[in-house]
Structure formats: C-alpha cells, structure tokens
Short mmCIF file of all heavy atoms in Angstrom, two decimals:
data_model
loop_
_atom_site.label_atom_id
_atom_site.label_comp_id
_atom_site.label_asym_id
_atom_site.label_seq_id
_atom_site.Cartn_x
_atom_site.Cartn_y
_atom_site.Cartn_z
N VAL A 26 8.91 10.68 0.00
CA VAL A 26 9.38 10.56 -1.39
C VAL A 26 9.91 11.89 -1.89
O VAL A 26 10.97 11.96 -2.55
CB VAL A 26 8.24 10.06 -2.30
CG1 VAL A 26 8.73 9.91 -3.74
CG2 VAL A 26 7.68 8.74 -1.79
N ARG A 27 9.21 12.96 -1.61
CA ARG A 27 9.64 14.27 -2.08
C ARG A 27 10.91 14.74 -1.39
O ARG A 27 11.76 15.40 -2.00
CB ARG A 27 8.51 15.30 -1.86
CG ARG A 27 7.33 15.15 -2.82
CD ARG A 27 7.75 15.54 -4.22
NE ARG A 27 6.63 15.50 -5.16
CZ ARG A 27 6.45 14.55 -6.06
NH1 ARG A 27 7.31 13.53 -6.13
NH2 ARG A 27 5.43 14.58 -6.89
N ALA A 28 11.07 14.38 -0.12
CA ALA A 28 12.25 14.83 0.63
C ALA A 28 13.51 14.07 0.23
O ALA A 28 14.57 14.67 0.05
CB ALA A 28 12.00 14.68 2.13
N ARG A 29 13.38 12.74 0.12
CA ARG A 29 14.56 11.92 -0.19
C ARG A 29 14.17 10.87 -1.22
O ARG A 29 13.95 9.70 -0.89
CB ARG A 29 15.07 11.24 1.09
CG ARG A 29 15.78 12.14 2.08
CD ARG A 29 17.15 12.59 1.56
NE ARG A 29 18.02 11.48 1.20
CZ ARG A 29 18.84 10.87 2.06
NH1 ARG A 29 18.92 11.28 3.32
NH2 ARG A 29 19.61 9.86 1.66
N PRO A 30 14.06 11.25 -2.49
CA PRO A 30 13.69 10.28 -3.53
C PRO A 30 14.69 9.16 -3.69
O PRO A 30 14.38 8.13 -4.30
CB PRO A 30 13.60 11.14 -4.80
CG PRO A 30 14.40 12.36 -4.51
CD PRO A 30 14.24 12.61 -3.04
N ASP A 31 15.88 9.34 -3.14
CA ASP A 31 16.90 8.29 -3.23
C ASP A 31 16.71 7.20 -2.18
O ASP A 31 17.32 6.12 -2.28
CB ASP A 31 18.29 8.90 -3.07
CG ASP A 31 18.45 9.62 -1.72
OD1 ASP A 31 17.56 10.43 -1.38
OD2 ASP A 31 19.45 9.36 -1.03
N VAL A 32 15.88 7.44 -1.17
CA VAL A 32 15.62 6.45 -0.13
C VAL A 32 14.36 5.69 -0.53
O VAL A 32 13.26 6.23 -0.54
CB VAL A 32 15.43 7.11 1.25
CG1 VAL A 32 15.15 6.05 2.32
CG2 VAL A 32 16.67 7.92 1.62
N LEU A 33 14.51 4.43 -0.87
CA LEU A 33 13.44 3.66 -1.51
C LEU A 33 12.65 2.79 -0.56
O LEU A 33 11.85 1.95 -1.00
CB LEU A 33 14.03 2.79 -2.64
CG LEU A 33 14.81 3.55 -3.71
CD1 LEU A 33 15.32 2.59 -4.77
CD2 LEU A 33 13.96 4.65 -4.34
N GLU A 34 12.77 2.99 0.72
CA GLU A 34 12.05 2.16 1.69
C GLU A 34 10.54 2.23 1.49
O GLU A 34 9.82 1.26 1.72
CB GLU A 34 12.44 2.59 3.11
CG GLU A 34 12.08 1.58 4.19
CD GLU A 34 10.81 1.95 4.95
OE1 GLU A 34 10.25 3.03 4.70
OE2 GLU A 34 10.41 1.14 5.81
N TRP A 35 10.04 3.38 1.04
CA TRP A 35 8.60 3.55 0.83
C TRP A 35 8.05 2.57 -0.19
O TRP A 35 6.87 2.22 -0.15
CB TRP A 35 8.31 4.98 0.39
CG TRP A 35 8.87 5.36 -0.95
CD1 TRP A 35 10.14 5.80 -1.21
CD2 TRP A 35 8.21 5.32 -2.21
NE1 TRP A 35 10.31 6.05 -2.55
CE2 TRP A 35 9.14 5.76 -3.20
CE3 TRP A 35 6.93 4.96 -2.63
CZ2 TRP A 35 8.82 5.84 -4.55
CZ3 TRP A 35 6.60 5.04 -3.97
CH2 TRP A 35 7.54 5.48 -4.92
N GLN A 36 8.89 2.11 -1.12
CA GLN A 36 8.41 1.20 -2.16
C GLN A 36 8.03 -0.17 -1.62
O GLN A 36 7.30 -0.92 -2.28
CB GLN A 36 9.46 1.06 -3.26
CG GLN A 36 9.70 2.34 -4.05
CD GLN A 36 10.66 2.14 -5.21
OE1 GLN A 36 11.02 1.03 -5.56
NE2 GLN A 36 11.08 3.25 -5.81
N LEU A 37 8.49 -0.51 -0.43
CA LEU A 37 8.16 -1.81 0.15
C LEU A 37 6.66 -1.98 0.36
O LEU A 37 6.14 -3.09 0.35
CB LEU A 37 8.90 -2.01 1.47
CG LEU A 37 10.43 -2.06 1.38
CD1 LEU A 37 11.05 -2.12 2.78
CD2 LEU A 37 10.87 -3.25 0.54
N ALA A 38 5.95 -0.86 0.56
CA ALA A 38 4.51 -0.93 0.78
C ALA A 38 3.71 -1.02 -0.52
O ALA A 38 2.52 -1.33 -0.49
CB ALA A 38 4.05 0.28 1.59
N LEU A 39 4.36 -0.75 -1.63
CA LEU A 39 3.62 -0.73 -2.90
C LEU A 39 3.05 -2.10 -3.25
O LEU A 39 2.01 -2.19 -3.89
CB LEU A 39 4.53 -0.25 -4.03
CG LEU A 39 4.89 1.24 -4.03
CD1 LEU A 39 5.73 1.56 -5.25
CD2 LEU A 39 3.66 2.11 -4.00
N VAL A 40 3.73 -3.16 -2.84
CA VAL A 40 3.26 -4.49 -3.19
C VAL A 40 1.88 -4.74 -2.58
O VAL A 40 1.02 -5.38 -3.20
CB VAL A 40 4.28 -5.56 -2.77
CG1 VAL A 40 4.44 -5.64 -1.27
CG2 VAL A 40 3.89 -6.93 -3.34
N ASP A 41 1.63 -4.26 -1.36
CA ASP A 41 0.32 -4.42 -0.73
C ASP A 41 -0.76 -3.65 -1.48
O ASP A 41 -1.91 -4.09 -1.57
CB ASP A 41 0.35 -3.94 0.73
CG ASP A 41 0.99 -4.95 1.66
OD1 ASP A 41 1.10 -6.12 1.26
OD2 ASP A 41 1.37 -4.58 2.78
N PHE A 42 -0.37 -2.48 -2.00
CA PHE A 42 -1.34 -1.65 -2.71
C PHE A 42 -1.59 -2.17 -4.12
O PHE A 42 -2.73 -2.30 -4.56
CB PHE A 42 -0.83 -0.21 -2.77
CG PHE A 42 -1.78 0.76 -3.42
CD1 PHE A 42 -2.93 1.16 -2.77
CD2 PHE A 42 -1.52 1.28 -4.69
CE1 PHE A 42 -3.82 2.05 -3.35
CE2 PHE A 42 -2.39 2.17 -5.28
CZ PHE A 42 -3.56 2.56 -4.62
N GLN A 43 -0.53 -2.51 -4.83
CA GLN A 43 -0.66 -2.90 -6.23
C GLN A 43 -1.29 -4.29 -6.41
O GLN A 43 -1.89 -4.55 -7.45
CB GLN A 43 0.71 -2.86 -6.91
CG GLN A 43 1.26 -1.45 -7.13
CD GLN A 43 0.48 -0.69 -8.19
OE1 GLN A 43 -0.68 -0.35 -8.00
NE2 GLN A 43 1.13 -0.45 -9.33
N ARG A 44 -1.15 -5.16 -5.42
CA ARG A 44 -1.75 -6.49 -5.58
C ARG A 44 -3.26 -6.47 -5.31
O ARG A 44 -3.93 -7.47 -5.48
CB ARG A 44 -1.07 -7.51 -4.64
CG ARG A 44 -1.32 -7.31 -3.17
CD ARG A 44 -1.18 -8.65 -2.39
NE ARG A 44 0.06 -9.31 -2.60
CZ ARG A 44 1.05 -9.42 -1.71
NH1 ARG A 44 0.92 -8.83 -0.53
NH2 ARG A 44 2.14 -10.09 -1.98
N HIS A 45 -3.78 -5.31 -4.88
CA HIS A 45 -5.21 -5.22 -4.59
C HIS A 45 -5.83 -4.01 -5.31
O HIS A 45 -6.31 -3.07 -4.67
CB HIS A 45 -5.45 -5.11 -3.09
CG HIS A 45 -5.03 -6.33 -2.34
ND1 HIS A 45 -5.65 -7.55 -2.49
CD2 HIS A 45 -4.05 -6.52 -1.44
CE1 HIS A 45 -5.08 -8.44 -1.71
NE2 HIS A 45 -4.09 -7.85 -1.07
N PRO A 46 -5.83 -4.00 -6.64
CA PRO A 46 -6.41 -2.86 -7.37
C PRO A 46 -7.91 -2.73 -7.16
O PRO A 46 -8.48 -1.69 -7.46
CB PRO A 46 -6.09 -3.19 -8.83
CG PRO A 46 -5.95 -4.67 -8.87
CD PRO A 46 -5.32 -5.04 -7.56
N GLN A 47 -8.56 -3.79 -6.64
CA GLN A 47 -9.99 -3.73 -6.38
C GLN A 47 -10.33 -3.01 -5.07
O GLN A 47 -11.50 -2.72 -4.80
CB GLN A 47 -10.59 -5.14 -6.36
CG GLN A 47 -10.35 -5.94 -5.07
CD GLN A 47 -8.98 -6.60 -5.00
OE1 GLN A 47 -8.03 -6.15 -5.63
NE2 GLN A 47 -8.87 -7.66 -4.23
N ALA A 48 -9.32 -2.73 -4.26
CA ALA A 48 -9.56 -2.07 -2.97
C ALA A 48 -10.00 -0.62 -3.20
O ALA A 48 -9.37 0.10 -3.97
CB ALA A 48 -8.30 -2.11 -2.13
N PRO A 49 -11.06 -0.17 -2.54
CA PRO A 49 -11.46 1.24 -2.66
C PRO A 49 -10.34 2.16 -2.21
O PRO A 49 -9.58 1.83 -1.29
CB PRO A 49 -12.67 1.34 -1.72
CG PRO A 49 -13.16 -0.06 -1.56
CD PRO A 49 -11.94 -0.93 -1.64
N LEU A 50 -10.24 3.31 -2.84
CA LEU A 50 -9.17 4.24 -2.51
C LEU A 50 -9.32 4.84 -1.12
O LEU A 50 -8.38 5.44 -0.61
CB LEU A 50 -9.12 5.36 -3.55
CG LEU A 50 -8.53 4.96 -4.91
CD1 LEU A 50 -8.70 6.09 -5.91
CD2 LEU A 50 -7.05 4.59 -4.77
N PHE A 51 -10.49 4.71 -0.53
CA PHE A 51 -10.69 5.31 0.79
C PHE A 51 -10.51 4.31 1.92
O PHE A 51 -10.74 4.63 3.09
CB PHE A 51 -12.10 5.93 0.89
CG PHE A 51 -13.21 5.00 0.47
CD1 PHE A 51 -13.67 4.00 1.30
CD2 PHE A 51 -13.77 5.14 -0.79
CE1 PHE A 51 -14.67 3.14 0.90
CE2 PHE A 51 -14.78 4.28 -1.20
CZ PHE A 51 -15.23 3.28 -0.36
N THR A 52 -10.09 3.09 1.62
CA THR A 52 -9.94 2.09 2.67
C THR A 52 -8.50 2.01 3.14
O THR A 52 -7.61 2.66 2.60
CB THR A 52 -10.42 0.70 2.18
OG1 THR A 52 -10.56 -0.17 3.31
CG2 THR A 52 -9.42 0.09 1.22
N ASP A 53 -8.26 1.18 4.18
CA ASP A 53 -6.91 0.94 4.70
C ASP A 53 -6.71 -0.55 4.89
O ASP A 53 -7.64 -1.35 4.70
CB ASP A 53 -6.69 1.70 6.01
CG ASP A 53 -7.71 1.31 7.08
OD1 ASP A 53 -7.62 0.19 7.61
OD2 ASP A 53 -8.60 2.13 7.38
N GLY A 54 -5.49 -0.95 5.27
CA GLY A 54 -5.17 -2.36 5.36
C GLY A 54 -6.06 -3.11 6.33
O GLY A 54 -6.52 -4.22 6.04
N ALA A 55 -6.34 -2.53 7.49
CA ALA A 55 -7.18 -3.20 8.48
C ALA A 55 -8.61 -3.33 7.99
O ALA A 55 -9.24 -4.38 8.16
CB ALA A 55 -7.13 -2.43 9.80
N GLY A 56 -9.14 -2.28 7.37
CA GLY A 56 -10.50 -2.32 6.89
C GLY A 56 -10.70 -3.27 5.72
O GLY A 56 -11.76 -3.86 5.55
N PHE A 57 -9.65 -3.42 4.92
CA PHE A 57 -9.76 -4.26 3.72
C PHE A 57 -9.36 -5.71 3.98
O PHE A 57 -9.65 -6.58 3.17
CB PHE A 57 -8.89 -3.68 2.61
CG PHE A 57 -9.09 -4.35 1.27
CD1 PHE A 57 -10.30 -4.26 0.60
CD2 PHE A 57 -8.05 -5.07 0.69
CE1 PHE A 57 -10.48 -4.89 -0.63
CE2 PHE A 57 -8.23 -5.68 -0.54
CZ PHE A 57 -9.45 -5.59 -1.20
N ALA A 58 -8.72 -5.98 5.10
CA ALA A 58 -8.17 -7.32 5.37
C ALA A 58 -9.17 -8.46 5.18
O ALA A 58 -8.80 -9.50 4.62
CB ALA A 58 -7.58 -7.35 6.78
N PRO A 59 -10.43 -8.34 5.63
CA PRO A 59 -11.35 -9.47 5.45
C PRO A 59 -11.63 -9.82 3.99
O PRO A 59 -12.10 -10.92 3.70
CB PRO A 59 -12.63 -9.00 6.15
CG PRO A 59 -12.18 -7.95 7.10
CD PRO A 59 -11.05 -7.26 6.40
N TYR A 60 -11.36 -8.89 3.09
CA TYR A 60 -11.69 -9.10 1.68
C TYR A 60 -10.45 -9.38 0.83
O TYR A 60 -10.57 -9.64 -0.37
CB TYR A 60 -12.41 -7.86 1.12
CG TYR A 60 -13.56 -7.43 1.99
CD1 TYR A 60 -13.40 -6.36 2.88
CD2 TYR A 60 -14.78 -8.09 1.96
CE1 TYR A 60 -14.45 -5.96 3.70
CE2 TYR A 60 -15.82 -7.69 2.78
CZ TYR A 60 -15.66 -6.63 3.64
OH TYR A 60 -16.69 -6.25 4.45
N ALA A 61 -9.27 -9.32 1.43
CA ALA A 61 -8.03 -9.49 0.68
C ALA A 61 -7.67 -10.96 0.55
O ALA A 61 -7.89 -11.75 1.46
CB ALA A 61 -6.90 -8.73 1.36
N GLU A 62 -7.13 -11.32 -0.61
CA GLU A 62 -6.65 -12.69 -0.81
C GLU A 62 -5.42 -12.96 0.04
O GLU A 62 -5.15 -14.09 0.43
CB GLU A 62 -6.34 -12.93 -2.28
CG GLU A 62 -7.56 -12.85 -3.18
CD GLU A 62 -7.19 -13.03 -4.65
OE1 GLU A 62 -5.99 -13.26 -4.92
OE2 GLU A 62 -8.09 -12.95 -5.49
N ALA A 63 -4.65 -11.95 0.31
CA ALA A 63 -3.49 -12.05 1.18
C ALA A 63 -3.49 -10.83 2.10
O ALA A 63 -4.14 -9.83 1.83
CB ALA A 63 -2.21 -12.08 0.35
N ASN A 64 -2.80 -10.95 3.20
CA ASN A 64 -2.76 -9.85 4.14
C ASN A 64 -2.16 -8.60 3.48
O ASN A 64 -1.21 -8.69 2.72
CB ASN A 64 -1.92 -10.24 5.36
CG ASN A 64 -2.09 -9.25 6.50
OD1 ASN A 64 -3.06 -8.51 6.53
ND2 ASN A 64 -1.16 -9.27 7.44
N ALA A 65 -2.73 -7.45 3.77
CA ALA A 65 -2.26 -6.20 3.17
C ALA A 65 -2.10 -5.14 4.26
O ALA A 65 -2.78 -4.12 4.26
CB ALA A 65 -3.24 -5.72 2.10
N PRO A 66 -1.19 -5.36 5.21
CA PRO A 66 -1.09 -4.46 6.37
C PRO A 66 -0.62 -3.06 6.03
O PRO A 66 -0.84 -2.13 6.80
CB PRO A 66 -0.09 -5.18 7.28
CG PRO A 66 0.76 -5.98 6.35
CD PRO A 66 -0.19 -6.44 5.27
N ARG A 67 0.03 -2.89 4.86
CA ARG A 67 0.58 -1.58 4.52
C ARG A 67 -0.13 -0.98 3.31
O ARG A 67 0.45 -0.17 2.59
CB ARG A 67 2.08 -1.69 4.28
CG ARG A 67 2.85 -2.27 5.48
CD ARG A 67 4.34 -2.09 5.33
NE ARG A 67 4.71 -0.68 5.46
CZ ARG A 67 5.92 -0.20 5.21
NH1 ARG A 67 6.88 -1.02 4.78
NH2 ARG A 67 6.18 1.07 5.34
N LEU A 68 -1.36 -1.37 3.11
CA LEU A 68 -2.13 -0.87 1.97
C LEU A 68 -2.18 0.65 1.94
O LEU A 68 -1.98 1.28 0.89
CB LEU A 68 -3.55 -1.43 2.03
CG LEU A 68 -4.48 -1.09 0.86
CD1 LEU A 68 -4.08 -1.86 -0.39
CD2 LEU A 68 -5.94 -1.40 1.22
N GLU A 69 -2.43 1.26 3.09
CA GLU A 69 -2.57 2.72 3.14
C GLU A 69 -1.25 3.44 2.87
O GLU A 69 -1.24 4.56 2.38
CB GLU A 69 -3.15 3.17 4.48
CG GLU A 69 -2.35 2.77 5.69
CD GLU A 69 -2.80 1.44 6.28
OE1 GLU A 69 -3.33 0.58 5.54
OE2 GLU A 69 -2.60 1.26 7.50
N TYR A 70 -0.12 2.79 3.19
CA TYR A 70 1.18 3.39 2.91
C TYR A 70 1.50 3.28 1.41
O TYR A 70 2.04 4.21 0.81
CB TYR A 70 2.27 2.71 3.73
CG TYR A 70 2.10 2.87 5.22
CD1 TYR A 70 1.34 1.96 5.95
CD2 TYR A 70 2.69 3.93 5.89
CE1 TYR A 70 1.17 2.11 7.33
CE2 TYR A 70 2.53 4.08 7.26
CZ TYR A 70 1.76 3.17 7.97
OH TYR A 70 1.60 3.33 9.33
N GLY A 71 1.17 2.13 0.82
CA GLY A 71 1.37 1.96 -0.62
C GLY A 71 0.48 2.86 -1.44
O GLY A 71 0.77 3.15 -2.61
N ALA A 72 -0.62 3.35 -0.82
CA ALA A 72 -1.52 4.26 -1.52
C ALA A 72 -0.86 5.61 -1.80
O ALA A 72 -1.48 6.48 -2.42
CB ALA A 72 -2.81 4.46 -0.71
N VAL A 73 0.39 5.78 -1.37
CA VAL A 73 1.14 6.97 -1.76
C VAL A 73 1.17 7.11 -3.27
O VAL A 73 1.30 8.22 -3.81
CB VAL A 73 2.59 6.92 -1.20
CG1 VAL A 73 3.37 5.76 -1.80
CG2 VAL A 73 3.33 8.23 -1.47
#
C-alpha cells in the first residue's frame, strides 16, 4: 500500500477481514476457519 497506493489489489482481501470483526487480531484465515460463517482464506492479508 505504501509503495503503490494506486494499485488496489490489496483491497480484495479486506472483505474477508471486514466480514469477521469478531475474529481476534492475532489469528489468521486457517486458524479462524472453523469459526467463520463463510470461508476467510485471506483474513491475515485483509488485516493490513
């Protein structure tokens, strides 16, 4: 994001992060998957 703010590919992972506000900040997609209503494979990337 800091290097190329004009390249928005990073935002694709935000949906996995934002749809799970109950997820602990120290977890990742694989660790949180059993508790997620939907798959969140990019949770840790959206945590940017």
Side-chain angles (χ1 to χ4, degrees):
V26 181
R27 286 291 184 255
R29 287 289 304 271
D31 60 311
V32 180
L33 303 181
E34 196 259 355
W35 65 276
Q36 293 185 11
L37 296 174
L39 289 183
V40 65
D41 281 343
F42 183 73
Q43 289 290 68
R44 68 155 54 109
H45 295 294
Q47 78 279 24
L50 286 172
F51 50 78
T52 194
D53 58 72
F57 188 65
Y60 310 100
E62 295 177 3
N64 193 19
R67 303 193 70 189
L68 184 73
E69 59 268 28
Y70 297 88
V73 64

